[in-house]
Structure formats: structure tokens, C-alpha cells
DNA sequence: AATCAGTACTATGTATTACTATATACTTGT
DNA sequence: ACAAGTATATAGTAATACATAGTACTGATT
């Protein structure tokens, strides 16, 4: 799916939070998981800006670990604030997506 | 629902297109319809920037009409390009929202 | 040993977009 | 005359995903 950039704004951070919430992970792996999910054009730089933001707002705990596959990895885990943030995200998503689907549903009412 | 601004980016334009597709309407009325839908904090300025964009990319036809309730209204209708754009929007929405719901669905697989 | 591919983090700058705030103007009711 | 509701217009701001590039480590190929 091409050019979904703008539609991803505001949801990509939540997706990253959700991925982290499933267990310790790091930037490169998060990028790959987003690509596997279907957001194939997401690049490392994008995920990096998000993880930096999560750090900045203290939503994650960080641990640096060596890897046999390349340079050290920065592992993230959600802390309490991050968990809270994730729940708020899903509540917002439920709200917004339900409203948009409502609009979509009414598509056939055009001719009234 | 507070602070859904970022989540509306990339979808609000599509919502406006959908509203216009149901029949001739104008900026002020579009704003009200978005508010009725649940996006209560959307303001006229926001809708104005969107309709200006639609004009700029020639997705709408415009007709100015007098009103008994205030200054003249600028009525919009979707043209063929706008209709096409709207269909692309819904395809993108289907894709993105299904992927995010997939992610959400798997919430309980965290402990595997 | 030298090079390259894959892994992995970091950094800067840009485009897009919704919002804020404000200005202008028309109509009706008081 | 004035205020409130209706309605368009515009400049400036903040947030975010992306493009692009750089640095660095490991293992395999040459």
C-alpha cells in the first residue's frame, strides 16, 4: 500500500508502544515488526525518532546489551507511564476509528 | 475525547471528501457535521485549510451562493478526480485500520 | 587483509498537516 | 447602534513521519 504516511501520523507511536509492551525489544527489531505487519515502507529513522520521544517522555526503561550480530542493542521495556500511555492510545483509536467507520457505513445513505 | 489531533492527521481530509460526496455543502456546514460526528474540537480554520487544499488539487467544483443567514456560501461538490481520491482514501483506511486492529487483537498474545 | 553485506544506533533537515488566533463581512434581532 | 450567529480568509505554530546520511560492529567472501 503506497503513500499511507499521513495516515500513520499519530498511530505509529502507539504501534511501537504496543510492540514494546509485548516484551523487551530494540529499534531495529521494531522496524522489522512494523514492516511484517504491513507497513513495509517504515524506515529505521522513523522508528528512531519515536523511540527517542518515548525516552524523552520517560515512557520506557532502557538497557543496552551486546549482540553477536552487530553493534550493541538498546532494549526498551514499557514502564508504568508507558503502559498508561498505551491504554490511552487504544482508547483514542477506538474512538476515532469507530467514528470514521460510522461515516463510512453511511456511505449508502447518500441518495436520500 | 481530548487530544486526538495527531490521530486525525491524514484522515480528516478523507472525512471532508466523504461529507462533500453526499451532496453540495460548504465549509461551515462541514465543520458542524464533523462536530456532530464526534470530532467536537474541529474548528472552522482547520476545515478551511482542507477545502483550500481540495480546491488547489482540483478535486471539487465550486459554486458561490447567497444565503439568508449570513454572508455568501461557497458550495463544494466532488468532481471525478475527487471521487477517485475518496475511493483511494477508503482503500488506505481499510488497509491501515485493519493492520492496526490486527495488532490490537494480538494484545493477549503478549505472554507467549 | 581487505572488502562487503547485514545489523544497529544516531543525527539533521524537510514536507505535510491540524490547530491557534485573528480579521473581515453579512444578516437578523434587540 | 449593537451583539450574536453565520461564513470565508490568512498568517503563524507544533507535531510527526520521512529522506538522507553517518557511524560502528560482526561474519563471510574475495
Amino acid at each position: 500500500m503506497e503513500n499511507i504516511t499521513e495516515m500513520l501520523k499519530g498511530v505509529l507511536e502507539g504501534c511501537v508502544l504496543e510492540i514494546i509492551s509485548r516484551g523487551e525489544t530494540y529499534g531495529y527489531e521494531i522496524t522489522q515488526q512494523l514492516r511484517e505487519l504491513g507497513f513495509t515502507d517504515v524506515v529505521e529513522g522513523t522508528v528512531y525518532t519515536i523511540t527517542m520521544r518515548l525516552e524523552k517522555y520517560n515512557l520506557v526503561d532502557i538497557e543496552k546489551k551486546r549482540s553477536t550480530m552487530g553493534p550493541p542493542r538498546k532494549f526498551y521495556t514499557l514502564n508504568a507511564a508507558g503502559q498508561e500511555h498505551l491504554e490511552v492510545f487504544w482508547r483514542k483509536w477506538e474512538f476515532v476509528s469507530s467514528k470514521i467507520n460510522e461515516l463510512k457505513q453511511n456511505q449508502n445513505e447518500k441518495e436520500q
Side-chain angles (χ1 to χ4, degrees), chain A residues 1 32 34 49 59 75 81 99 101:
Chain A
M1 180 66 57
Q32 288 176 317
L34 286 170
T49 55
L59 303 176
F75 281 86
K99 292 305 180 185
N101 284 328

Side-chain angles (χ1 to χ4, degrees), chain A residues 12 24 38 74:
Chain A
L12 214 47
E24 205 175 48
K74 242 172 107 176

Side-chain angles (χ1 to χ4, degrees), chain A residues 19-112:
Chain A
I19 288 169
I20 295 175
S21 81
R22 294 168 185 199
E24 205 175 48
T25 184
Y26 53 97
Y28 191 80
E29 193 179 50
I30 293 168
T31 309
Q32 288 176 317
Q33 285 191 38
L34 286 170
R35 286 169 173 244
E36 271 173 41
L37 184 65
F39 302 151
T40 52
D41 294 337
V42 171
V43 293
E44 294 159 72
T46 298
V47 173
Y48 175 74
T49 55
I50 293 172
T51 53
M52 286 302 288
R53 212 153 63 219
L54 300 181
E55 284 186 38
K56 184 180 164 192
Y57 293 119
N58 289 311
L59 303 176
V60 286
D61 291 331
I62 306 169
E63 199 181 345
K64 208 157 195 171
K65 295 183 184 177
R66 292 178 181 281
S67 163
T68 54
M69 296 287 288
R73 298 166 174 166
K74 242 172 107 176
F75 281 86
Y76 297 101
T77 45
L78 278 202
N79 61 25
Q83 190 62 43
E84 174 84 16
H85 206 80
L86 177 58
E87 282 159 25
V88 170
F89 166 74
W90 282 126
R91 278 203 292 277
K92 284 186 191 176
W93 170 253
E94 267 308 305
F95 179 80
V96 171
S97 66
S98 72
K99 292 305 180 185
I100 291 176
N101 284 328
E102 199 178 306
L103 191 71
K104 187 169 188 285
Q105 220 87 69
N106 294 347
Q107 261 183 112
N108 299 326
E109 293 175 19
K110 285 176 193 181
E111 309 307 327
Q112 288 177 357

